[in-house]
Amino acid sequence: MNKTNPSVDGYLRKNKKWSAELAKLRAIVLDTPLIEEVKWRVPCYTDHGRNIAFLGAFKDCCTLSFVKGVLLKDPKHILELPGPDTQSARVIRFDHLDRIVKLAPVLKAYLLEAIEIEKSGQKVQMKKTADFAVPEELQAKLDENPALKKAFAALTPGRQRGYLLYFAGAKQSKTRSARVDKHTPRILEGKGMLDD
């Protein structure tokens, strides 16, 4: 049975710099029971409709990402945080085909473990929105504008976290204030940062 998805072929052709590396990663993943799909315009590998892993291509590397990577044992210590605020996902970065070839049995073992973690129903304990600090610039605006406070409270937890992380990500108070001011109309409309 051919398990390849033609849309992934296009993704590989488009990412010429990492085409050999991505092709090798794809072959390793497809040597497992995972199903190849495309989600969010990147190759996604699923088991019974649940996302397990993704392939990605960036300027300086290509990646194999695990959705619940934080639950993997990682005996080879090759998993990394994709970003400072990531709670669940873990990623392995590659900048050379030889490393992928060398790690092929390990990668397959990690993929099989990720499938078993998903089948077992294990959940990642995610931080709740209340666990995130509210930047003082946002808190001041919420305190002075009851409509904004009500609108922010009505946002989904994910939208609230998105704003909290974005506002807090600025180093200077002036920048945090500017971000809050810029996004106040969106919050009042009930929209998240990425909503149209």
Side-chain angles (χ1 to χ4, degrees), residues 48-122:
H48 293 90
R50 294 193 173 119
N51 300 338
I52 304 293
F54 289 89
L55 295 184
F58 301 91
K59 190 166 92 170
D60 59 346
C61 68
C62 64
T63 60
L64 173 62
S65 303
F66 294 87
V67 175
K68 292 184 178 178
V70 71
L71 299 177
L72 292 171
K73 293 181 185 113
D74 192 21
K76 298 294 183 181
H77 308 289
I78 55 176
L79 295 173
E80 304 174 37
L81 277 169
D85 299 313
T86 305
Q87 296 182 59
S88 179
R90 294 297 180 267
V91 64
I92 306 171
R93 292 180 174 89
F94 301 97
D95 60 5
H96 203 276
L97 181 61
D98 290 346
R99 182 167 184 243
I100 297 169
V101 171
K102 180 179 164 190
L103 287 174
V106 174
L107 300 177
K108 185 173 178 183
Y110 279 37
L111 288 160
L112 294 173
E113 182 186 356
I115 293 167
E116 289 308 310
I117 286 170
E118 191 59 46
K119 284 182 180 176
S120 75
Q122 290 182 56

Side-chain angles (χ1 to χ4, degrees), residues 172-190:
Q172 295 183 6
S173 177
K174 181 172 111 176
T175 307
R176 287 190 297 272
S177 290
R179 287 180 177 184
V180 171
D181 290 342
K182 178 181 176 185
H183 288 280
T184 293
R186 295 183 65 74
I187 294 169
L188 289 168
E189 293 174 15

Side-chain angles (χ1 to χ4, degrees), residues 6 18 23 26 29 36 53 68 85 124 126 133-134 139 141 154 160 167 189 191 194:
W18 303 111
R26 181 189 198 190
V29 177
E36 184 172 73
K68 292 184 178 178
D85 299 313
V124 175
M126 305 291 263
V134 177
Q139 190 60 58
K141 295 285 183 183
Q160 289 178 9
F167 296 153
E189 293 174 15
K191 293 182 177 181
L194 303 176

Side-chain angles (χ1 to χ4, degrees), residues 109-166:
Y110 279 37
L111 288 160
L112 294 173
E113 182 186 356
I115 293 167
E116 289 308 310
I117 286 170
E118 191 59 46
K119 284 182 180 176
S120 75
Q122 290 182 56
K123 303 276 186 216
V124 175
Q125 289 293 352
M126 305 291 263
K127 286 170 57 176
K128 298 192 181 345
T129 303
D131 297 334
F132 289 85
V134 177
E136 62 185 55
E137 296 78 5
L138 174 60
Q139 190 60 58
K141 295 285 183 183
L142 296 174
D143 291 343
E144 71 184 40
N145 185 341
L148 179 62
K149 185 174 187 172
K150 183 178 179 181
F152 190 79
L155 293 174
T156 63
R159 287 184 176 106
Q160 289 178 9
R161 286 190 299 272
Y163 281 121
L164 293 173
L165 290 170
Y166 178 67

